[in-house]
Amino acid sequence: MSLNSTQRFTGRVADYVKYRPSYPREIIAFLHDTCGVTPGAQVADIGAGTGISARLFIEAGHPVVAVEPNQAMREAADAWLGGQDEGLYRSVAGTAEATTLDAASVDLVIAAQAFHWFDLAKAKREFARILRPSGRVALFWNSRRLNGSPFLEGYEALLQRYGLDYSTVAERYANDAQMATWFGNGFLHQASFPNHQRLDLAGLQGRLMSSSYTPEVGHPNDEPMRKALRELFEQTQHDGVIDLVYDTRIYVGRVSAAGYQ
């Protein structure tokens, strides 16, 4: 299965829009109160996808330019956010390594759930180019808990068994030490906030199919995976729902064009 992130989500946009979790609002307060990001700061959302992270910042009053290479995902974001009042949203076709944005044009670069797909050295240089001198980078993602309940442990086992390149993708997420290395001397703050989704069976099925490593309809793993998911849900649900639990990790700092090779 291709690791080309610009295309591997194309057939999953509808599920992504409907079933992917958002991020805790505490992220905004953390950036404002702890990290020195001013309310109204201009944000570049890199790998913005369908606009989940962009919406969080728009609702907090930040103007956002969404940078997204996948046309289907970008169009979904445009349909969702393009009517925002006061012109707080616009999108461009670009990548983390070549955003198309002007030099020194934004105050805050964010990337949510997409950072592990970037060429890290090239992205860092591009972030440094588009940021104003006092600008910050905030990188955050939902990290699904792998244990702590029968459902969480069963879901992880299901992905290990039926996911097409699940282990390869999962291993791309950075840990605390790797993020500290990426920021280098510019590393300022990190935090973690609890997050969760409460899903019925249809929601759980949609959440599973929004993941790029799950087999599509017609693949030999598809029907066995769906059957295993239904059985897991029936065994672990309470009042017709399960809790998919995450830790939302955020890393904030300054970057320069040099210092990461």
Side-chain angles (χ1 to χ4, degrees):
M1 193 170 184
S2 172
L3 286 175
N4 180 359
S5 63
T6 65
Q7 298 302 322
R8 59 187 280 144
F9 288 97
T10 298
R12 304 178 187 270
V13 170
D15 286 326
Y16 206 104
V17 169
K18 193 170 183 180
Y19 298 114
R20 278 295 177 111
S22 186
Y23 304 94
R25 295 184 183 277
E26 287 89 344
I27 283 175
I28 301 294
F30 176 70
L31 289 169
H32 289 173
D33 299 340
T34 301
C35 304
V37 175
T38 58
Q42 173 71 53
V43 176
D45 186 355
I46 313 299
T50 61
I52 296 171
S53 47
R55 185 186 186 192
L56 187 70
F57 283 80
I58 290 168
E59 289 178 343
H62 289 275
V64 176
V65 54
V67 179
E68 172 54 49
N70 183 291
Q71 182 177 348
M73 299 191 87
R74 192 173 62 255
E75 289 175 351
D78 291 347
W80 190 25
L81 301 174
Q84 295 290 332
D85 293 340
E86 302 176 8
L88 292 180
Y89 170 84
R90 69 182 179 95
S91 70
V92 297
T95 66
E97 302 80 16
T99 63
T100 78
L101 302 182
D102 291 339
S105 62
V106 299
D107 303 300
L108 177 68
V109 167
I110 67 170
Q113 219 67 31
F115 181 71
H116 64 293
W117 295 112
F118 301 164
D119 179 311
L120 299 188
K122 292 180 180 178
K124 187 173 186 180
R125 288 192 289 271
E126 179 68 352
F127 295 175
R129 186 187 69 81
I130 66 176
L131 278 167
R132 297 186 176 109
S134 61
R136 305 280 197 276
V137 175
L139 307 170
F140 53 96
W141 52 83
N142 288 315
S143 181
R144 176 174 46 82
R145 293 187 189 175
L146 307 185
N147 50 51
S149 75
F151 169 75
L152 293 173
E153 291 161 14
Y155 191 74
E156 173 65 10
L158 181 149
L159 294 177
Q160 292 283 357
R161 180 171 183 180
Y162 297 109
L164 301 186
D165 57 358
Y166 172 66
S167 295
T168 300
V169 172
E171 289 168 0
R172 295 174 68 92
Y173 282 95
N175 58 34
D176 290 355
Q178 289 168 327
M179 292 309 305
T181 298
W182 187 81
F183 276 107
N185 292 335
F187 194 23
L188 298 174
H189 304 283
Q190 70 181 81
S192 179
F193 302 99
N195 197 13
H196 82 283
Q197 290 177 288
R198 183 156 290 176
L199 300 170
D200 61 13
L201 179 57
L204 178 60
Q205 291 169 332
R207 173 64 184 86
L208 177 67
M209 295 310 297
S210 75
S211 299
S212 66
Y213 42 73
T214 55
E216 295 181 328
V217 174
H219 189 280
N221 282 11
D222 178 52
E223 278 303 321
M225 180 189 69
R226 291 175 186 270
K227 181 175 183 293
L229 187 71
R230 288 192 297 270
E231 292 173 350
L232 176 64
F233 181 85
E234 290 167 1
Q235 293 164 4
T236 58
Q237 60 82 25
H238 295 284
D239 298 324
V241 296
I242 56 86
D243 284 319
L244 195 52
V245 186
Y246 308 89
D247 296 295
T248 304
R249 307 182 190 283
I250 181 168
Y251 305 87
V252 182
R254 296 188 177 96
V255 295
S256 63
Y260 185 90
Q261 303 298 327

